[in-house]
Coordinates of all heavy atoms in Angstrom, one line a residue:
M1 N 100.6 88.4 135.5 CA 101.6 87.9 136.4 C 102.8 88.8 136.2 O 103.0 89.4 135.2 CB 102.0 86.4 136.0 CG 101.0 85.4 136.4 SD 101.6 83.8 136.2 CE 100.4 83.3 135.0
D2 N 103.6 88.8 137.3 CA 104.8 89.6 137.2 C 106.0 88.7 137.7 O 105.9 87.7 138.3 CB 104.7 90.9 138.1 CG 104.6 90.6 139.5 OD1 104.7 89.4 140.0 OD2 104.4 91.6 140.3
G3 N 107.2 89.1 137.2 CA 108.4 88.4 137.6 C 108.8 88.8 139.1 O 109.4 89.9 139.3
A4 N 108.4 88.0 140.0 CA 108.5 88.3 141.4 C 110.0 88.3 141.9 O 110.3 89.1 142.8 CB 107.7 87.4 142.3
S5 N 110.8 87.4 141.4 CA 112.1 87.3 141.9 C 113.2 87.8 141.0 O 114.4 87.8 141.2 CB 112.4 85.9 142.4 OG 112.4 85.0 141.3
G6 N 112.8 88.3 139.8 CA 113.7 88.9 138.8 C 114.7 88.0 138.2 O 114.9 86.8 138.6
G7 N 115.4 88.5 137.2 CA 116.5 87.7 136.6 C 116.1 86.4 136.0 O 114.9 86.2 135.7
I8 N 117.0 85.6 135.7 CA 116.7 84.3 135.1 C 117.2 83.1 136.1 O 117.6 82.1 135.7 CB 117.3 84.1 133.7 CG1 118.8 84.3 133.8 CG2 116.7 85.0 132.7 CD1 119.5 84.0 132.5
A9 N 117.1 83.4 137.4 CA 117.5 82.4 138.4 C 116.6 81.1 138.2 O 115.5 81.2 137.8 CB 117.3 83.0 139.8
P10 N 117.2 80.0 138.5 CA 116.4 78.7 138.3 C 115.2 78.7 139.2 O 114.2 78.0 138.9 CB 117.4 77.6 138.7 CG 118.7 78.3 138.9 CD 118.5 79.8 138.9
N11 N 115.2 79.4 140.3 CA 114.1 79.3 141.2 C 113.2 80.5 141.1 O 112.4 80.8 141.9 CB 114.6 79.2 142.7 CG 115.4 80.4 143.1 OD1 115.8 81.2 142.2 ND2 115.6 80.6 144.4
R12 N 113.2 81.2 139.9 CA 112.4 82.3 139.7 C 110.9 82.0 139.8 O 110.5 80.9 139.4 CB 112.7 82.8 138.2 CG 111.9 84.1 137.9 CD 112.2 84.6 136.6 NE 111.5 85.9 136.4 CZ 111.6 86.7 135.4 NH1 112.5 86.3 134.4 NH2 111.0 87.8 135.3
R13 N 110.2 82.9 140.4 CA 108.7 82.8 140.6 C 108.0 84.0 140.0 O 108.6 85.1 139.9 CB 108.4 82.7 142.0 CG 109.0 81.4 142.7 CD 108.8 81.4 144.2 NE 109.6 82.6 144.7 CZ 109.3 83.1 145.9 NH1 108.4 82.6 146.7 NH2 110.0 84.1 146.3
H14 N 106.8 83.8 139.5 CA 106.0 84.8 139.0 C 104.7 85.0 139.8 O 104.0 84.1 140.1 CB 105.5 84.5 137.5 CG 106.7 84.2 136.6 ND1 107.4 85.2 136.0 CD2 107.3 83.1 136.3 CE1 108.4 84.7 135.3 NE2 108.4 83.4 135.4
G15 N 104.5 86.2 140.3 CA 103.4 86.5 141.1 C 102.1 86.6 140.4 O 102.1 87.1 139.2
V16 N 101.0 86.1 141.0 CA 99.7 86.2 140.4 C 99.1 87.5 140.8 O 98.9 87.8 142.0 CB 98.8 85.0 140.8 CG1 97.4 85.1 140.3 CG2 99.5 83.7 140.4
T17 N 98.8 88.4 139.8 CA 98.3 89.7 140.2 C 97.0 89.9 139.4 O 96.6 89.2 138.6 CB 99.3 90.8 139.8 OG1 99.5 90.7 138.3 CG2 100.6 90.7 140.5
T18 N 96.3 91.0 139.8 CA 95.0 91.3 139.2 C 95.2 91.6 137.7 O 96.0 92.4 137.3 CB 94.4 92.6 139.9 OG1 94.3 92.3 141.3 CG2 93.0 92.8 139.4
P19 N 94.4 90.9 136.9 CA 94.5 91.1 135.4 C 94.0 92.4 134.9 O 93.1 93.0 135.5 CB 93.7 89.9 134.9 CG 92.7 89.6 135.9 CD 93.4 90.0 137.2
V20 N 94.7 92.9 133.9 CA 94.2 94.2 133.3 C 93.5 94.0 132.0 O 92.9 94.9 131.4 CB 95.4 95.2 133.1 CG1 96.0 95.6 134.4 CG2 96.5 94.5 132.2
S21 N 93.5 92.7 131.5 CA 92.8 92.4 130.3 C 92.2 91.0 130.4 O 92.5 90.3 131.4 CB 93.7 92.4 129.0 OG 94.7 91.4 129.1
D22 N 91.3 90.7 129.5 CA 90.7 89.4 129.6 C 91.6 88.2 129.2 O 91.3 87.1 129.6 CB 89.4 89.3 128.8 CG 88.3 90.2 129.4 OD1 88.4 90.4 130.6 OD2 87.5 90.7 128.6
R23 N 92.6 88.5 128.4 CA 93.5 87.4 128.0 C 94.9 88.0 127.7 O 95.0 88.8 126.8 CB 92.9 86.8 126.7 CG 93.5 85.5 126.4 CD 92.8 84.8 125.2 NE 93.3 83.6 124.9 CZ 92.7 82.4 125.0 NH1 91.4 82.4 125.4 NH2 93.2 81.3 124.7
A24 N 95.9 87.6 128.5 CA 97.2 88.1 128.2 C 97.8 87.6 126.9 O 97.7 86.4 126.7 CB 98.1 87.7 129.4
G25 N 98.4 88.4 126.2 CA 99.0 88.0 124.9 C 98.0 87.9 123.8 O 98.3 87.3 122.7
G26 N 96.7 88.3 124.0 CA 95.7 88.2 123.0 C 95.2 86.7 122.9 O 95.5 85.9 123.7
R27 N 94.6 86.4 121.8 CA 94.0 85.1 121.6 C 95.1 84.0 121.6 O 94.9 82.9 122.0 CB 93.2 85.0 120.2 CG 91.9 85.6 120.3 CD 91.1 85.3 119.1 NE 90.9 83.9 118.9 CZ 90.2 83.4 117.9 NH1 89.7 84.1 117.0 NH2 90.1 82.1 117.9
A28 N 96.2 84.3 121.1 CA 97.3 83.3 120.9 C 98.0 83.1 122.3 O 98.7 82.1 122.4 CB 98.3 83.8 119.9
G29 N 97.9 84.0 123.2 CA 98.6 83.8 124.5 C 100.0 84.4 124.4 O 100.4 85.1 123.4
I30 N 100.8 84.1 125.4 CA 102.2 84.5 125.4 C 103.0 83.5 124.7 O 103.1 82.3 125.1 CB 102.6 84.7 126.9 CG1 101.7 85.7 127.6 CG2 104.1 85.1 127.0 CD1 101.8 85.7 129.1
R31 N 103.8 83.9 123.7 CA 104.7 83.0 123.0 C 105.9 82.7 123.8 O 106.5 83.6 124.4 CB 105.1 83.6 121.7 CG 104.0 83.6 120.7 CD 104.5 84.1 119.3 NE 103.3 84.4 118.5 CZ 103.4 85.2 117.5 NH1 104.5 85.8 117.2 NH2 102.3 85.5 116.8
L32 N 106.2 81.5 123.9 CA 107.4 81.1 124.7 C 108.5 80.7 123.8 O 108.3 80.2 122.7 CB 107.0 79.9 125.6 CG 105.9 80.1 126.6 CD1 105.5 78.8 127.3 CD2 106.2 81.2 127.6
D33 N 109.8 81.0 124.2 CA 110.9 80.7 123.4 C 111.1 79.1 123.4 O 111.3 78.5 124.4 CB 112.2 81.3 124.1 CG 113.4 81.2 123.3 OD1 113.6 80.3 122.5 OD2 114.3 82.1 123.5
P34 N 111.1 78.6 122.2 CA 111.2 77.1 122.0 C 112.6 76.6 122.5 O 112.7 75.4 122.7 CB 111.0 76.9 120.5 CG 111.3 78.2 119.9 CD 111.0 79.2 120.9
R35 N 113.6 77.4 122.6 CA 114.9 76.9 123.1 C 114.8 76.6 124.6 O 115.7 75.8 125.1 CB 115.9 78.0 122.8 CG 116.2 78.2 121.3 CD 117.1 79.4 121.1 NE 116.4 80.6 121.6 CZ 116.9 81.8 121.6 NH1 118.2 82.0 121.2 NH2 116.2 82.8 122.0
I36 N 113.9 77.2 125.3 CA 113.9 76.9 126.8 C 112.5 76.4 127.3 O 112.4 75.8 128.3 CB 114.2 78.2 127.6 CG1 113.3 79.3 127.3 CG2 115.7 78.6 127.4 CD1 113.4 80.5 128.2
A37 N 111.5 76.6 126.5 CA 110.1 76.2 126.9 C 109.8 74.8 126.4 O 110.2 74.4 125.3 CB 109.1 77.2 126.4
K38 N 108.9 74.1 127.2 CA 108.5 72.8 126.8 C 107.2 72.9 125.9 O 106.8 71.9 125.3 CB 108.1 72.0 128.0 CG 109.4 71.8 128.9 CD 109.0 71.1 130.2 CE 110.2 70.9 131.1 NZ 109.9 70.4 132.4
C39 N 106.6 74.1 125.8 CA 105.4 74.3 125.1 C 105.5 75.6 124.3 O 106.4 76.4 124.7 CB 104.2 74.3 126.0 SG 102.6 74.2 125.3
Q40 N 104.7 75.9 123.4 CA 104.8 77.1 122.6 C 104.1 78.3 123.2 O 104.5 79.4 123.0 CB 104.1 76.9 121.2 CG 104.9 75.9 120.3 CD 104.2 75.8 119.0 OE1 103.1 76.3 118.8 NE2 105.0 75.2 118.0
R41 N 103.1 78.1 124.1 CA 102.4 79.2 124.6 C 102.0 79.0 126.1 O 101.8 77.9 126.5 CB 101.1 79.4 123.8 CG 101.4 79.6 122.3 CD 100.3 80.2 121.6 NE 100.5 80.2 120.2 CZ 101.3 81.0 119.5 NH1 102.1 81.8 120.1 NH2 101.4 80.9 118.2
F42 N 101.8 80.2 126.7 CA 101.2 80.2 128.0 C 100.0 81.2 128.0 O 100.3 82.4 127.5 CB 102.2 80.6 129.1 CG 101.6 80.5 130.5 CD1 101.7 79.3 131.2 CD2 101.0 81.6 131.2 CE1 101.2 79.1 132.5 CE2 100.5 81.4 132.4 CZ 100.6 80.2 133.1
V43 N 98.8 80.8 128.3 CA 97.7 81.7 128.2 C 97.2 82.0 129.6 O 97.1 81.2 130.5 CB 96.5 81.0 127.4 CG1 95.3 81.8 127.4 CG2 97.0 80.6 126.0
I44 N 96.9 83.3 129.8 CA 96.3 83.8 131.1 C 95.0 84.4 130.7 O 94.9 85.4 129.9 CB 97.2 84.9 131.7 CG1 98.6 84.3 132.0 CG2 96.6 85.3 133.0 CD1 99.6 85.4 132.4
R45 N 93.9 83.8 131.2 CA 92.6 84.3 130.9 C 91.8 84.6 132.1 O 92.2 84.1 133.2 CB 91.8 83.4 129.9 CG 91.4 82.1 130.5 CD 90.6 81.3 129.5 NE 90.0 80.2 130.1 CZ 88.8 80.1 130.6 NH1 88.0 81.2 130.6 NH2 88.3 79.0 131.2
T46 N 90.9 85.5 132.0 CA 90.1 85.9 133.2 C 88.6 85.5 132.9 O 88.1 85.4 131.8 CB 90.2 87.4 133.5 OG1 89.7 88.1 132.3 CG2 91.6 87.8 133.8
V47 N 87.9 85.4 134.0 CA 86.5 85.1 134.0 C 85.8 86.3 134.8 O 86.2 86.6 135.9 CB 86.1 83.8 134.7 CG1 84.6 83.6 134.8 CG2 86.8 82.7 134.1
N48 N 84.8 86.9 134.2 CA 84.1 88.0 134.8 C 85.0 89.1 135.3 O 85.3 89.3 136.4 CB 83.3 87.5 136.1 CG 82.3 88.5 136.6 OD1 81.9 89.4 135.9 ND2 82.0 88.3 137.9
N49 N 85.5 89.9 134.3 CA 86.6 90.9 134.5 C 86.2 92.3 134.2 O 86.9 92.9 133.3 CB 87.8 90.5 133.8 CG 89.0 91.3 134.1 OD1 89.1 91.9 135.2 ND2 90.0 91.4 133.2
P50 N 85.1 92.9 134.8 CA 84.9 94.3 134.5 C 85.9 95.2 135.2 O 86.6 94.7 136.1 CB 83.4 94.5 135.0 CG 83.3 93.5 136.1 CD 84.1 92.3 135.7
P51 N 86.0 96.5 134.8 CA 87.0 97.3 135.5 C 86.9 97.4 137.0 O 87.9 97.7 137.7 CB 86.8 98.7 134.8 CG 86.2 98.4 133.5 CD 85.4 97.1 133.7
S52 N 85.7 97.2 137.5 CA 85.5 97.4 139.0 C 86.0 96.2 139.7 O 86.1 96.2 141.0 CB 84.0 97.6 139.2 OG 83.2 96.4 138.8
H53 N 86.3 95.1 139.1 CA 86.8 93.9 139.8 C 88.3 93.9 139.8 O 89.0 93.6 138.9 CB 86.4 92.6 139.0 CG 84.9 92.4 139.2 ND1 84.3 91.2 138.8 CD2 83.9 93.1 139.8 CE1 83.0 91.2 139.1 NE2 82.8 92.4 139.7
D54 N 88.9 94.4 140.9 CA 90.3 94.6 141.1 C 91.0 93.7 142.1 O 92.1 93.9 142.5 CB 90.7 96.0 141.3 CG 90.0 96.6 142.6 OD1 89.3 95.8 143.3 OD2 90.2 97.8 142.8
S55 N 90.3 92.6 142.5 CA 90.8 91.7 143.5 C 90.6 90.3 143.0 O 89.5 89.9 142.6 CB 90.1 91.9 144.9 OG 90.3 93.2 145.4
I56 N 91.6 89.5 143.1 CA 91.5 88.1 142.7 C 90.7 87.3 143.7 O 91.0 87.3 144.9 CB 92.9 87.4 142.5 CG1 93.6 88.2 141.4 CG2 92.8 86.0 142.2 CD1 95.1 87.7 141.2
Q57 N 89.7 86.6 143.2 CA 88.9 85.7 144.0 C 89.4 84.3 144.0 O 89.3 83.6 145.1 CB 87.4 85.7 143.5 CG 86.8 87.1 143.4 CD 86.7 87.8 144.8 OE1 86.0 87.2 145.7 NE2 87.4 88.9 145.0
S58 N 89.9 83.8 142.9 CA 90.4 82.5 142.8 C 91.3 82.4 141.6 O 91.3 83.3 140.7 CB 89.3 81.4 142.7 OG 88.6 81.6 141.5
A59 N 92.2 81.4 141.5 CA 93.1 81.2 140.4 C 93.2 79.7 140.2 O 93.2 78.9 141.1 CB 94.5 81.8 140.7
R60 N 93.4 79.3 138.9 CA 93.6 78.0 138.5 C 94.9 77.9 137.6 O 95.1 78.8 136.8 CB 92.4 77.4 137.8 CG 91.2 77.4 138.7 CD 90.0 76.9 137.9 NE 89.9 75.5 137.8 CZ 89.6 74.6 138.7 NH1 89.3 75.0 139.9 NH2 89.6 73.3 138.5
L61 N 95.6 76.8 137.6 CA 96.7 76.6 136.7 C 96.5 75.2 136.1 O 96.4 74.2 136.8 CB 98.0 76.7 137.5 CG 99.3 76.4 136.7 CD1 99.5 77.4 135.6 CD2 100.5 76.4 137.6
K62 N 96.4 75.2 134.8 CA 96.1 73.9 134.1 C 94.9 73.2 134.7 O 95.0 72.0 135.0 CB 97.4 73.0 134.1 CG 98.5 73.6 133.3 CD 99.7 72.7 133.2 CE 100.8 73.3 132.4 NZ 101.9 72.5 132.2
S63 N 93.8 73.9 134.9 CA 92.6 73.5 135.4 C 92.6 73.0 136.8 O 91.5 72.5 137.3 CB 92.0 72.3 134.5 OG 91.9 72.7 133.2
K64 N 93.6 73.2 137.5 CA 93.7 72.8 139.0 C 93.8 74.1 139.8 O 94.4 75.0 139.5 CB 94.9 71.9 139.3 CG 94.9 70.6 138.5 CD 96.1 69.8 138.8 CE 96.1 68.5 138.0 NZ 97.4 67.8 138.1
P65 N 93.0 74.1 140.9 CA 93.1 75.3 141.8 C 94.5 75.6 142.2 O 95.3 74.7 142.6 CB 92.2 74.9 143.0 CG 91.4 73.8 142.5 CD 92.2 73.0 141.5
L66 N 94.8 76.9 142.2 CA 96.1 77.4 142.6 C 95.9 77.8 144.1 O 95.5 78.9 144.4 CB 96.6 78.5 141.8 CG 98.0 79.0 142.0 CD1 99.0 77.9 141.7 CD2 98.3 80.2 141.1
T67 N 96.2 76.8 145.0 CA 95.9 77.1 146.4 C 97.2 77.0 147.2 O 98.2 76.3 146.7 CB 94.9 76.1 147.0 OG1 95.4 74.8 146.8 CG2 93.6 76.3 146.4
G68 N 97.3 77.6 148.3 CA 98.5 77.6 149.2 C 99.6 78.5 148.7 O 100.6 78.5 149.3
R69 N 99.4 79.2 147.6 CA 100.5 80.1 147.1 C 99.9 81.1 146.1 O 98.8 80.8 145.5 CB 101.6 79.3 146.5 CG 101.1 78.5 145.3 CD 102.2 77.4 145.0 NE 101.6 76.5 143.9 CZ 102.1 76.4 142.7 NH1 103.1 77.2 142.3 NH2 101.6 75.6 141.9
F70 N 100.5 82.2 145.9 CA 100.0 83.2 145.0 C 101.1 83.5 143.9 O 101.2 84.5 143.3 CB 99.5 84.5 145.6 CG 100.5 85.2 146.5 CD1 101.3 86.2 146.0 CD2 100.7 84.8 147.8 CE1 102.3 86.8 146.7 CE2 101.6 85.4 148.6 CZ 102.4 86.5 148.0
R71 N 102.0 82.5 143.7 CA 103.0 82.6 142.7 C 103.1 81.3 142.0 O 102.8 80.2 142.5 CB 104.4 82.9 143.3 CG 104.5 84.2 143.9 CD 105.9 84.6 144.4 NE 105.9 85.9 144.8 CZ 106.2 86.3 146.1 NH1 106.4 85.4 147.0 NH2 106.2 87.6 146.4
I72 N 103.6 81.3 140.7 CA 103.9 80.1 140.0 C 105.4 80.1 139.7 O 106.0 81.1 139.6 CB 103.1 79.9 138.7 CG1 103.5 80.9 137.7 CG2 101.6 79.9 139.0 CD1 102.9 80.6 136.3
T73 N 106.0 78.9 139.6 CA 107.4 78.8 139.4 C 107.7 79.1 137.9 O 106.8 79.0 137.0 CB 108.0 77.5 139.7 OG1 107.4 76.5 138.8 CG2 107.7 77.1 141.2
H74 N 108.9 79.5 137.6 CA 109.3 79.7 136.2 C 109.1 78.4 135.4 O 108.7 78.4 134.2 CB 110.7 80.3 136.1 CG 111.0 80.8 134.7 ND1 110.3 81.9 134.1 CD2 111.9 80.4 133.8 CE1 110.8 82.1 132.9 NE2 111.7 81.2 132.7
A75 N 109.5 77.3 136.0 CA 109.3 76.0 135.4 C 107.9 75.7 135.0 O 107.6 75.2 133.9 CB 109.9 74.9 136.3
E76 N 106.9 76.1 135.9 CA 105.5 75.9 135.5 C 105.1 76.8 134.4 O 104.4 76.4 133.5 CB 104.6 76.2 136.7 CG 104.7 75.2 137.8 CD 104.1 75.7 139.1 OE1 104.2 76.9 139.5 OE2 103.4 74.8 139.8
F77 N 105.7 78.0 134.4 CA 105.4 79.0 133.3 C 105.9 78.5 131.9 O 105.1 78.4 131.0 CB 106.0 80.4 133.6 CG 105.8 81.4 132.6 CD1 104.5 81.9 132.3 CD2 106.8 81.8 131.8 CE1 104.3 82.9 131.3 CE2 106.7 82.8 130.8 CZ 105.4 83.3 130.6
I78 N 107.1 78.1 131.9 CA 107.7 77.6 130.6 C 107.2 76.3 130.2 O 107.4 75.9 129.0 CB 109.2 77.7 130.5 CG1 109.9 76.7 131.5 CG2 109.7 79.1 130.7 CD1 111.4 76.6 131.4
A79 N 106.5 75.6 131.1 CA 105.9 74.3 130.7 C 104.7 74.6 129.8 O 104.1 73.6 129.2 CB 105.5 73.5 131.9
G80 N 104.2 75.8 129.8 CA 103.1 76.2 128.9 C 101.8 75.8 129.6 O 101.7 75.3 130.7
G81 N 100.7 76.1 128.9 CA 99.4 75.8 129.4 C 98.5 77.0 129.6 O 98.7 78.0 129.0
E82 N 97.6 76.9 130.5 CA 96.7 78.0 130.8 C 96.5 78.3 132.3 O 96.4 77.4 133.0 CB 95.3 77.7 130.1 CG 94.3 78.8 130.3 CD 93.1 78.6 129.5 OE1 93.1 78.6 128.2 OE2 92.0 78.3 130.1
S83 N 96.4 79.6 132.6 CA 96.1 80.0 133.9 C 94.7 80.7 133.8 O 94.5 81.5 132.9 CB 97.2 80.9 134.5 OG 96.8 81.5 135.7
E84 N 93.9 80.5 134.8 CA 92.6 81.2 134.8 C 92.4 82.0 136.1 O 92.6 81.4 137.2 CB 91.4 80.2 134.7 CG 90.1 80.8 134.7 CD 89.0 79.8 134.6 OE1 88.8 79.1 133.6 OE2 88.3 79.6 135.7
L85 N 92.1 83.3 136.0 CA 92.0 84.1 137.1 C 90.5 84.6 137.2 O 89.9 85.0 136.2 CB 92.9 85.3 137.0 CG 94.4 85.0 136.9 CD1 95.2 86.3 136.7 CD2 94.9 84.2 138.1
A86 N 90.0 84.6 138.4 CA 88.6 85.1 138.6 C 88.7 86.3 139.5 O 88.8 86.1 140.8 CB 87.7 84.0 139.2
P87 N 88.6 87.5 139.0 CA 88.7 88.7 139.9 C 87.3 89.0 140.4 O 86.3 88.6 139.9 CB 89.2 89.8 138.9 CG 88.8 89.4 137.6 CD 88.7 87.9 137.6
G88 N 87.2 89.9 141.4 CA 86.0 90.3 142.0 C 86.1 91.7 142.5 O 87.2 92.3 142.5
P89 N 85.0 92.3 143.0 CA 85.0 93.7 143.5 C 85.7 93.9 144.8 O 86.1 95.1 145.1 CB 83.6 94.0 143.5 CG 82.9 92.7 143.8 CD 83.7 91.7 143.1
S90 N 85.9 92.9 145.6 CA 86.6 93.1 146.9 C 87.4 91.9 147.2 O 87.2 90.8 146.6 CB 85.6 93.3 148.0 OG 84.7 92.2 148.1
P91 N 88.4 92.0 148.1 CA 89.3 90.9 148.3 C 88.6 89.6 148.9 O 87.6 89.8 149.7 CB 90.3 91.4 149.4 CG 90.3 92.9 149.2 CD 88.8 93.2 148.8
N92 N 89.0 88.5 148.5 CA 88.4 87.2 149.0 C 89.4 86.8 150.1 O 90.4 86.2 149.8 CB 88.4 86.2 147.9 CG 87.9 84.8 148.4 OD1 87.8 84.6 149.6 ND2 87.7 83.9 147.5
G93 N 89.0 87.1 151.3 CA 89.9 86.8 152.5 C 90.2 85.3 152.6 O 91.3 84.9 153.0
N94 N 89.3 84.4 152.2 CA 89.5 83.0 152.2 C 90.6 82.6 151.3 O 91.5 81.7 151.6 CB 88.3 82.2 152.0 CG 87.2 82.4 153.1 OD1 87.6 82.5 154.2 ND2 86.0 82.4 152.7
W95 N 90.6 83.1 150.1 CA 91.7 82.8 149.1 C 93.0 83.3 149.5 O 94.0 82.6 149.5 CB 91.3 83.3 147.7 CG 92.3 82.9 146.6 CD1 92.4 81.6 146.1 CD2 93.3 83.6 146.0 NE1 93.4 81.6 145.2 CE2 94.0 82.8 145.1 CE3 93.8 85.0 146.2 CZ2 95.1 83.2 144.3 CZ3 94.8 85.4 145.4 CH2 95.5 84.5 144.5
R96 N 93.1 84.5 150.0 CA 94.3 85.1 150.5 C 94.9 84.4 151.7 O 96.0 84.1 151.8 CB 94.2 86.6 150.8 CG 94.1 87.5 149.6 CD 95.3 87.4 148.8 NE 96.4 88.1 149.3 CZ 97.7 88.1 148.9 NH1 98.0 87.3 147.9 NH2 98.6 88.7 149.5
L97 N 94.0 84.0 152.6 CA 94.4 83.3 153.8 C 94.9 81.9 153.5 O 95.8 81.4 154.2 CB 93.3 83.3 154.8 CG 92.9 84.6 155.5 CD1 91.7 84.4 156.4 CD2 94.1 85.2 156.2
S98 N 94.4 81.3 152.4 CA 94.9 80.0 152.1 C 96.3 80.0 151.4 O 96.9 79.0 151.2 CB 93.9 79.3 151.2 OG 93.9 79.9 149.9
Q99 N 96.8 81.2 151.2 CA 98.1 81.4 150.5 C 99.2 81.2 151.5 O 100.3 81.1 151.3 CB 98.2 82.7 149.8 CG 97.0 83.0 148.8 CD 96.9 82.0 147.8 OE1 97.8 81.7 147.0 NE2 95.8 81.4 147.6

């Protein structure tokens, strides 16, 4: 994920992008600052992620399909939990069109 709107604005959003590793932040995930986060960690993991898979086929946030958008809010990020990305070898037009 990347900081799509920058800064620390209250409406900050993070774009869902093609993963470069199987799990962001290693096994422990991304540590969140306890002064602002509701949870200690946010984990981003992938399913079926060989180097040739450079297009996202589907995404889930806290076990629910991430549909209708390709960004998560900063509030969702600091709430902690897990995001699951399923990349594939070519773009999934249905997933992108549903965004």
